[in-house]
Amino acid sequence: MASSTVENYLKAILHLEEPSGSTTVGEIAKNLGVTPGTVTIMMKSLSEQGLVNYQPRKKLNLMPGGRKAALRVVRRHRLIELFLVQVLKLDWSEVHEEAEILEHVISDRLLDRIDKMLGEPTHDPHGDPIPDRDGNLAVVHATPLAEVGDGDYRVVRVSDDNPDLLGWLNENDLTIGEEFVLTHPNRAAGVLEIARKSGSRIQLGVNVAEQVYVESLKP
Ligand SMILES: [Zn+2]
């Protein structure tokens, strides 16, 4: 089993390479809060282990084995989050931090039991897809609320690592599956206004709207 440090690097690369298929030492350093020198040493090691495709000063990406290992950690993380919310009744704002620790230590046997107990779920409490046993990851078709125009939307995913944001969304009933109408997207002022079905209106900053992913109700 890979060390938790290695697992965190693989997970970070999986996340960072998602949009374009590759990432850089600089991006990884920023994401993990370490120096580029530290990342370079790790990339050489991961490259020797056949997990990462790395050459100095070039873009890098996961090799099939590295991707598989990264998806295993993501599967653990998301199943643990769902277990903590559904079974242990933790708030969705406090499970990410716990999952960051447990994802590296839980046994396959216990994870399997959790998966079965929860009915082989497909999404975690924040709307992120859970990779299946074979490492297949569903694609979420969602756009940040900050980037869409007027229209009817449903919340399908929120960033999972900002407890303050998750607390605020909970207070305002902006959880997964909630529907609303975006009425006045005033991006220049950095403020969006949305209306609930009940008629109540909520104003939110663009920085919040960047972390709330929605799908259109009228395709
Ligand atoms: Zn999380």
Side-chain angles (χ1 to χ4, degrees):
M1 195 199 223
S3 75
S4 61
T5 311
V6 167
E7 288 183 342
N8 282 335
Y9 270 92
L10 295 175
K11 207 170 59 158
I13 299 169
L14 180 75
H15 168 69
L16 292 168
E17 73 174 17
E18 197 185 330
S20 67
S22 62
T23 184
T24 61
V25 164
E27 282 178 345
I28 298 168
K30 199 174 156 203
N31 183 272
L32 294 175
V34 296
T35 65
T38 305
V39 176
T40 301
I41 292 165
M42 179 59 90
M43 289 310 110
K44 283 180 184 156
S45 163
L46 295 180
S47 167
E48 279 160 18
Q49 295 173 57
L51 297 171
V52 167
N53 193 357
Y54 166 76
Q55 285 176 314
R57 289 174 295 281
K58 291 227 172 103
K59 295 212 165 202
L60 62 93
N61 58 281
L62 292 173
M63 295 189 61
R67 183 176 163 81
K68 210 175 153 192
L71 284 164
R72 272 170 51 102
V73 188
V74 171
R75 174 173 164 79
R76 289 155 177 265
H77 181 103
R78 294 180 178 170
L79 272 174
I80 290 166
E81 282 190 342
L82 193 64
F83 177 77
L84 295 177
V85 167
Q86 286 199 350
V87 180
L88 299 189
K89 307 296 177 198
L90 267 67
D91 189 81
W92 76 336
S93 64
E94 56 188 351
V95 295
H96 176 76
E97 214 180 311
E98 299 294 343
E100 285 287 281
I101 300 164
L102 292 170
E103 68 187 17
H104 304 295
V105 294
I106 192 170
S107 71
D108 286 342
R109 197 172 148 208
L110 185 52
L111 194 79
D112 253 17
R113 284 297 289 266
I114 289 175
D115 186 36
K116 291 213 174 74
M117 182 185 184
L118 298 177
E120 302 184 358
T122 57
H123 289 77
D124 79 3
H126 311 106
D128 282 314
I130 298 171
D132 72 12
R133 229 172 278 260
D134 303 320
N136 299 305
L137 182 62
V139 180
V140 179
H141 296 284
T143 314
L145 176 56
E147 293 172 18
V148 299
D150 286 20
D152 295 21
Y153 296 97
R154 177 189 292 127
V155 180
V156 290
R157 163 170 192 255
V158 296
S159 293
D160 71 347
D161 58 358
N162 182 342
D164 289 343
L165 170 80
L166 291 167
W168 186 86
L169 291 172
N170 219 0
E171 277 167 32
N172 288 282
D173 267 335
L174 271 177
T175 49
I176 305 303
E178 288 295 325
E179 297 178 3
F180 61 86
V181 184
L182 176 61
T183 46
H184 299 294
N186 189 346
R187 284 183 196 77
V191 182
L192 309 180
E193 187 177 274
I194 62 176
R196 318 293 311 263
K197 286 243 161 72
S198 63
S200 67
R201 287 167 185 275
I202 305 170
Q203 290 199 331
L204 57 166
V206 168
N207 57 331
V208 169
E210 277 165 358
Q211 300 178 71
V212 177
Y213 294 75
V214 299
E215 67 179 5
S216 174
L217 293 177
K218 289 175 195 154

